[in-house]
Amino acid sequence: MLGLTTTRHLRAVTAGLEARLTTAYLSAELDRPRLERAQARERANLRHRLERVVKAHAAARQEQARSARALRVVSELVIDQRNSSTATPPGAM
C-alpha cells in the first residue's frame, strides 16, 4: 500500500512539473517574437547612435585640421614679421 501511494504521488508531482514546464516553454515561445522585435529596435537605435558619433568625430577632425592650418599660417606670419623687424637694414653695416 505504501509503494502505491508513493508512486501516485510521484506521478502527480511529475505531471505537475511537466505542466509547468510546458507552460513556461509556451510562454517563452510566445515572448520570443516580442523580444526579437525589441532587440531589433535596440540594435537599430545603437547603429543610429554610432553613425552620429562617427559623423561628429569626422566633423571634429575636419575642424581640427582647419584650425591647425590657420594656426600654421598665423605662426608663419608672426615669424616673418619678427624676422623682418629684427633684420638689419642693408647698408647699416
Side-chain angles (χ1 to χ4, degrees):
M1 186 70 153
L2 185 59
L4 185 59
T5 304
T6 303
T7 303
R8 283 185 189 156
H9 177 71
L10 287 176
R11 285 183 184 157
V13 168
T14 302
L17 290 174
E18 286 176 352
R20 289 175 59 191
L21 183 61
T22 301
T23 302
Y25 176 77
L26 290 174
S27 177
E29 285 298 310
L30 293 174
D31 281 346
R32 183 186 301 175
R34 181 182 58 81
L35 293 174
E36 287 173 350
R37 285 191 305 272
Q39 185 181 29
R41 279 192 305 270
E42 182 67 17
R43 195 174 321 136
N45 182 32
L46 290 174
R47 189 178 306 117
H48 176 67
R49 289 172 60 188
L50 177 63
E51 288 172 359
R52 285 183 18 214
V53 167
V54 168
K55 287 179 183 176
H57 178 67
R61 287 186 58 114
Q62 288 177 348
E63 181 63 27
Q64 182 183 18
R66 280 193 295 271
S67 297
R69 284 191 299 270
L71 182 60
R72 186 172 49 249
V73 168
V74 169
S75 64
E76 288 171 357
L77 289 173
V78 168
I79 290 170
D80 289 346
Q81 184 179 15
R82 184 180 305 159
N83 289 341
S84 67
S85 66
T86 60
T88 306
M93 289 197 160

